[in-house]
Amino acid sequence: MKNKTEFLKNKANDIRKLIIQMLAEAGSGHPGGSLSSADIIACLYFEVLNHDPKNPALVDRDRFHLSKGHCCPAVYAALALSGYFPKQEIFTLRKFGSILQGHPDRRTPGIEVASGSLGQGISVALGMALTAKLDKKSWRTYCLIGDGESQEGNIWEAAMAAAHFKLDNLCVIVDFNRFQIDGRIEEVMALEPLVNKWESFGWHVIECDGHNVEELVQAFGKARTVTLKPTIIVAHTVKGKGVSFMEHVADFHGRAPTEKEKEVAFKELQDIEQDEKEL
């Protein structure tokens, strides 16, 4: 278990370093939510998902849909580290003709569906999960949403439908970092009590520390055992996690680091990596 935990922590840190590099090179993008979701993405791509980077269209692959599409740098980093495409591609982020656009689309190997219009992701994932049920397939569907995104009415329509169809092959994760582009969630449009809301919609709810890879892996394991209802993992995270001057700062929701900020951020992430090795 220790080796697995160290492996996933290292992958999450690698994802964060690539996020900083690609956004600084692009000069635009969304570091805050990308960094907060890095541990969730690392657990999915390097522990949970049944997938094959050499065969992205594998019929029985688990499906993953990033609903909060502006945080695609975290997924691009995981895809590059998994071997879906050469790591050098990350430096083409948001450039004309690149396979890595500012929001996901299907030109990128490993991306199932385009996303970016907030609130629609669960509906897409619901359709995937329902397809698996109708076709009597065993693959599962995972969907990552944002907390700010959860203010959208579409989210709750899909939540109601997923419970109605008893989609126990659907697992949604909410990156609960408590910030959105305009500031703190509770000041813009409060969500609490979030757990009670999902439970009242008929979902099995699991809460965990979204930066604790052991808790995340356990949560995904529990979700697989739930029957006759979908599961949502409410993952408590920190916006900008891993970079001191980005943590809990709404300004870095959609602002890329400058070259100087990139150097500081990268050094901090290297220090975290070194501290982990010395433990």
Side-chain angles (χ1 to χ4, degrees):
M1 187 63 186
K2 184 180 178 184
N3 287 341
K4 182 197 291 185
T5 299
E6 289 175 356
F7 172 77
L8 291 174
K9 283 182 176 178
N10 288 338
K11 289 298 183 187
N13 207 46
D14 289 343
I15 287 171
R16 288 192 169 93
K17 287 189 291 185
L18 287 178
I19 289 168
I20 294 300
Q21 287 179 294
M22 74 175 84
L23 292 184
E25 176 68 24
S28 64
H30 297 78
S34 299
L35 292 167
S36 69
S37 63
D39 299 282
I40 300 165
I41 297 294
C43 289
L44 282 167
Y45 277 90
F46 298 102
E47 176 63 20
V48 176
L49 294 178
N50 173 34
H51 68 126
D52 182 358
K54 294 180 180 176
N55 183 12
L58 180 71
V59 174
D60 291 328
R61 70 191 182 282
D62 289 335
R63 272 62 168 177
F64 171 69
H65 184 48
L66 177 69
S67 184
K68 54 172 202 165
H70 56 281
C71 296
C72 55
V75 177
Y76 292 160
L79 292 173
L81 291 168
S82 297
Y84 279 89
F85 49 79
K87 203 158 68 173
Q88 280 300 110
E89 287 288 337
I90 67 167
F91 297 109
T92 69
L93 176 71
R94 289 177 173 246
K95 290 185 168 54
F96 184 74
S98 171
I99 62 169
L100 305 180
Q101 292 301 301
H103 289 79
D105 68 43
R106 296 196 65 191
R107 280 176 292 183
T108 309
I111 296 295
E112 301 281 355
V113 187
S115 64
S117 298
L118 295 178
Q120 299 179 359
I122 295 186
S123 295
V124 174
L126 184 157
M128 293 176 174
L130 193 56
T131 297
K133 287 286 185 184
L134 292 171
D135 290 347
K136 302 187 187 311
K137 299 294 185 182
S138 60
W139 48 266
R140 295 174 59 79
T141 299
Y142 296 85
C143 180
L144 178 63
I145 66 173
D147 46 5
E149 178 183 13
S150 299
Q151 297 157 345
E152 304 279 351
N154 242 12
I155 292 280
W156 302 102
E157 291 181 50
M160 184 167 53
H164 173 79
F165 290 114
K166 299 180 173 56
L167 297 180
D168 52 16
N169 58 348
L170 174 61
C171 178
V172 172
I173 312 100
V174 57
D175 179 8
F176 199 9
N177 61 39
R178 299 177 184 274
F179 276 86
Q180 59 191 105
I181 192 168
D182 291 325
R184 293 182 180 275
I185 294 288
E186 66 263 29
E187 294 171 354
V188 178
M189 181 64 72
L191 289 173
E192 296 287 13
L194 189 59
V195 168
N196 293 349
K197 286 174 181 167
W198 282 99
E199 286 177 338
S200 71
F201 271 75
W203 286 57
H204 180 75
V205 184
I206 301 170
E207 280 189 279
C208 72
D209 179 344
H211 300 306
N212 184 320
V213 295
E214 290 178 332
E215 286 191 23
L216 283 166
V217 170
Q218 288 175 3
F220 284 117
K222 285 181 184 175
R224 294 186 73 90
T225 68
V226 175
T227 58
L228 300 179
K229 59 170 59 175
T231 293
I232 184 160
I233 298 172
V234 178
H236 296 275
T237 60
V238 173
K239 190 101 169 179
K241 177 68 176 178
V243 178
S244 62
F245 58 89
M246 291 186 180
E247 291 189 355
H248 307 292
V249 178
D251 182 45
F252 280 105
H253 176 95
R255 181 173 80 76
T258 63
E259 188 62 27
K260 186 176 180 180
E261 287 171 337
K262 181 196 81 172
E263 292 175 7
V264 175
F266 202 79
K267 175 69 166 55
E268 288 187 4
L269 292 169
Q270 285 182 315
D271 289 345
I272 290 173
E273 191 173 79
Q274 187 59 39
D275 291 344
E276 291 289 343
K277 287 179 181 176
E278 293 174 357
L279 286 177

